[in-house]
Amino acid sequence: MRRIPFRLTLLAAALALAGCSSSPVGFILSGEPGFYKKLNATAAKVDTLAARDMISIYRANQNLARLTVDPALQAAAEEQALAMARADRMSHEVRGTLMSRLDGRLDHTSAVENISAGYHTLAEAFSGWRDSPAHNKNMLNPAMRRMGIATAYVPESKYKVYWALILTD
């Protein structure tokens, strides 16, 4: 089976999203795709639907299931990103282990987490995770079906923008 280049897949996803409604998912007022939206501003939030679609298309190219955004995972990702930003450090355990943070919040048997800092757009964070063998393995874990993704911006911190992506079965 012939593989479609990622940039072409990304463009196709953006065009497909543009045709979905009168207010296209994944786009901001300037017409810029949500995955290129700068997140180094206090009120800026990552476009969770654009993130879901970007990661799901990447997974689909590997014959893996698409992801859904889970409200409990979204809240957990927001808390983790904010905790890292406030602590001014990137750490999976800034608020305890991933499992301790998820237990009691939702039903799951397995979970993985990608964190990062310093990326100002979803496209940059995704590319960084894709290029990291451990993070890429998490995104392509065939057991994963649900996700939550968030950023937190603290202008006086070392990295400015902190990222958390949580995936579960």
Side-chain angles (χ1 to χ4, degrees):
M1 183 170 138
R2 198 182 94 157
R3 284 223 166 125
I4 300 170
F6 179 72
R7 287 179 192 242
L8 184 57
T9 303
L10 206 53
L11 177 61
L15 292 173
L17 289 172
C20 289
S21 72
S22 60
S23 60
V25 176
F27 286 78
I28 58 175
L29 293 177
S30 69
E32 179 181 38
F35 40 85
Y36 290 130
K37 179 183 174 187
K38 296 284 187 185
L39 298 169
N40 57 334
T42 304
K45 297 284 183 190
V46 64
D47 184 330
T48 57
L49 298 179
R52 177 206 60 200
D53 292 345
M54 180 182 283
I55 298 168
S56 289
I57 289 168
Y58 181 56
R59 288 172 55 87
N61 283 338
Q62 305 296 319
N63 297 315
L64 298 172
R66 293 184 163 279
L67 300 171
T68 60
V69 175
D70 182 284
L73 291 175
Q74 187 60 36
E78 289 169 4
E79 291 166 7
Q80 179 65 10
L82 187 58
M84 289 187 302
R86 286 181 175 156
D88 200 10
R89 69 183 176 100
M90 203 173 52
S91 169
H92 287 281
E93 297 186 357
V94 72
R95 292 181 36 251
T97 67
L98 174 61
M99 289 308 176
S100 71
R101 289 184 272 127
L102 295 182
D103 286 346
R105 290 182 98 159
L106 67 146
D107 186 31
H108 68 283
T109 55
S110 61
V112 295
E113 178 179 59
N114 286 358
I115 60 171
S116 59
Y119 296 120
H120 289 195
T121 68
L122 172 59
E124 291 171 358
F126 173 81
S127 292
W129 290 332
R130 189 190 61 218
D131 293 342
S132 161
H135 292 107
N136 192 53
K137 182 179 176 183
N138 286 345
M139 289 194 302
L140 296 178
N141 184 321
M144 300 302 118
R145 297 286 188 271
R146 298 175 291 164
M147 67 169 278
I149 187 169
T151 59
Y153 173 68
V154 177
E156 61 278 356
S157 67
K158 179 178 181 180
Y159 297 108
K160 312 292 185 229
V161 182
Y162 292 79
W163 292 80
L165 168 66
I166 302 174
L167 304 163
T168 64
D169 53 0

